[in-house]
Amino acid sequence: MTPAVELLRARGVAHALHEYEHDPAAPSYGLEAAEKIGMHPDRVFKTLVVRLDHRRLAVAVVPVSGPLNLKRMAKACAARKAAMAATEDVQRATGYVPGGVSPLGQKRPLPTVIDATAAGYETVCVSGGRRGLDVELSPGDLRDLLDAEFADIRG
């Protein structure tokens, strides 16, 4: 299993695994996941890593149905600006490959902000740490595991 799933099991957090056959030709990993697991795209969240003020990294967890607002993310992290992190930096910091980056079980825990819309759902899905695997859990458990905060960061 992935570090994300191992973390959930080790902490005894209620969750459900959703596995599906990943199509390498899919134009969007997140929308593919939502479709294949039969969940509305507003409840399936993608994990994006940003670089704040050209220095430190942080994680944004936003619905796959829309983009991340970098200005709002910067504000939520008390930074002047945010930009998408380079792929190599994402892999080095998280231990995951693009399309399979989970906010859970990262190699090096990063400050994390979850879009506030997540709090309105009983459960949400995030990547389970590889393409073709999502985990469903309560947004409160996700926040607590990540020591994250909810903020309006959706574009």
Side-chain angles (χ1 to χ4, degrees):
M1 267 298 112
T2 67
V5 175
E6 289 172 2
L7 174 67
L8 291 167
R9 290 179 177 165
R11 298 275 181 91
V13 173
H15 65 282
L17 297 179
H18 297 281
E19 292 191 75
Y20 58 92
E21 188 67 36
H22 166 63
D23 177 1
S28 165
Y29 295 122
L31 292 175
E32 175 195 26
E35 180 184 328
K36 290 197 172 173
I37 66 175
M39 190 172 283
H40 194 281
D42 287 347
R43 283 185 54 207
V44 179
F45 285 68
K46 57 189 169 187
T47 305
L48 303 173
V49 179
V50 299
R51 183 164 297 284
L52 302 170
D53 295 335
H54 304 290
R55 298 171 62 166
R56 59 192 169 110
L57 297 176
V59 173
V61 181
V62 294
V64 301
S65 58
L68 167 66
N69 183 306
L70 290 168
K71 288 183 181 183
R72 290 179 186 167
M73 180 64 181
K75 183 178 178 183
C77 296
R80 286 175 312 198
K81 62 194 290 197
M84 297 306 298
T87 302
E88 310 82 53
D89 294 336
V90 173
Q91 287 181 272
R92 190 174 21 257
T94 68
Y96 293 119
V97 298
V101 178
S102 178
L104 301 163
Q106 294 182 358
K107 190 183 204 181
R108 181 174 49 147
L110 299 170
T112 302
V113 180
I114 304 166
D115 186 66
T117 59
Y121 297 107
E122 188 175 322
T123 62
V124 294
C125 277
V126 296
S127 172
R130 67 172 166 78
R131 296 173 188 150
L133 177 66
D134 271 32
V135 293
E136 182 177 355
L137 71 164
S138 81
D141 285 342
L142 180 64
R143 180 199 58 218
D144 293 347
L145 284 167
L146 300 171
D147 193 24
E149 63 179 73
F150 291 117
D152 181 16
I153 58 171
R154 185 178 184 175

